[in-house]
Amino acid sequence: MRRTRTRILTRTALAAGALAAVAAFAPAAGAATTATATATAPKTPAPAFLEPGDLPPHSSSPWFAQSPRHGQPELPLFCFEEVELPAAGTWVREYHTDLDTTARQLVVETGGTAEAQALAAELSDAAADCAADWLRENPGAGAAWDDYGTVDAADGARVFGVHVAPPQAGTGVHLFGIGRDGDTVTVVVWGEMGDLAQAPVTAFKDTTATALTKLGG
């Protein structure tokens, strides 16, 4: 069944401390990588990741990137905590600005096309359900989401936006690009303080298309 666009909104008290909403899926800007990968060392080189210049431009800061790392993300991806990723085929790269805006790209090399299709579908469902699931777990909070449609690159991608407003805290907005190229799935995550109205959807779709194009070499 085709999922229809839905918004879930409630009133909530907003105060300072909005960075916590963004930190739900990424480390603070400038944070160093301290944990080490737990997966077995890969037999193949890292896949092609986004470069800082491929991300949506920030109004007052350049983007910075850590080196790609093999293995599971150090922190669970917001909205995808329940999705099981194959550690042996998973790579991650972290990005940040001088302020609160952060990004992350996940690349998962699966065992075949059917497995990749299933993983991409599971990730898309998780993104679409994220606002409702988060709202049920956070009574008195506010949340919203939008399905921004498809991206025509490689075997296709879809972009979602999720906004969360914890009680007595700040607001966070997240964009997710989920796509596939053959047996490889990528997830691109962007987030900062704010709401869906200020999210750079058009630029983020271009970023998602670039991520898929790079996977194809």
Side-chain angles (χ1 to χ4, degrees):
M1 181 180 295
R2 181 181 177 87
R3 187 182 299 276
T4 57
R5 178 176 296 187
T6 305
R7 283 184 177 272
I8 304 153
L9 294 168
T10 66
R11 288 190 175 275
T12 182
L14 302 181
L19 185 58
V22 177
F25 76 91
T33 302
T34 55
T36 56
T38 57
T40 303
K43 297 180 180 179
T44 57
F49 277 85
L50 292 166
E51 295 300 329
D54 298 324
L55 293 163
H58 191 279
S59 61
S60 60
S61 171
W63 282 96
F64 305 94
Q66 297 179 9
S67 298
R69 184 179 63 81
H70 182 248
Q72 300 285 357
E74 297 168 16
L75 298 175
L77 284 175
F78 178 59
C79 293
F80 306 117
E81 296 90 342
E82 302 302 319
V83 178
E84 185 174 350
L85 301 172
T90 299
W91 293 80
V92 64
R93 192 176 196 186
E94 310 275 359
Y95 310 83
H96 64 85
T97 65
D98 285 329
L99 301 175
D100 68 287
T101 309
T102 58
R104 182 183 293 181
Q105 184 184 3
L106 197 70
V107 175
V108 183
E109 298 166 333
T110 70
T113 300
E115 185 177 340
Q117 289 174 326
L119 178 59
E122 184 179 6
L123 289 163
S124 294
D125 286 345
D129 294 340
C130 181
D133 292 343
W134 186 88
L135 198 59
R136 280 191 294 270
E137 297 171 359
N138 295 272
W145 77 284
D146 265 317
D147 179 345
Y148 292 114
T150 59
V151 173
D152 186 15
D155 291 313
R158 198 164 199 94
V159 170
F160 300 89
V162 175
H163 161 70
V164 294
Q168 300 181 353
T171 64
V173 58
H174 316 270
L175 293 176
F176 304 101
I178 301 163
R180 182 178 64 86
D181 180 29
D183 62 358
T184 303
V185 175
T186 191
V187 181
V188 183
V189 185
W190 170 98
E192 68 178 20
M193 295 181 289
D195 56 31
L196 293 172
Q198 67 191 58
V201 176
T202 300
F204 184 77
K205 280 191 165 186
D206 291 341
T207 294
T208 302
T210 299
L212 284 170
T213 300
K214 284 177 176 283
L215 290 183

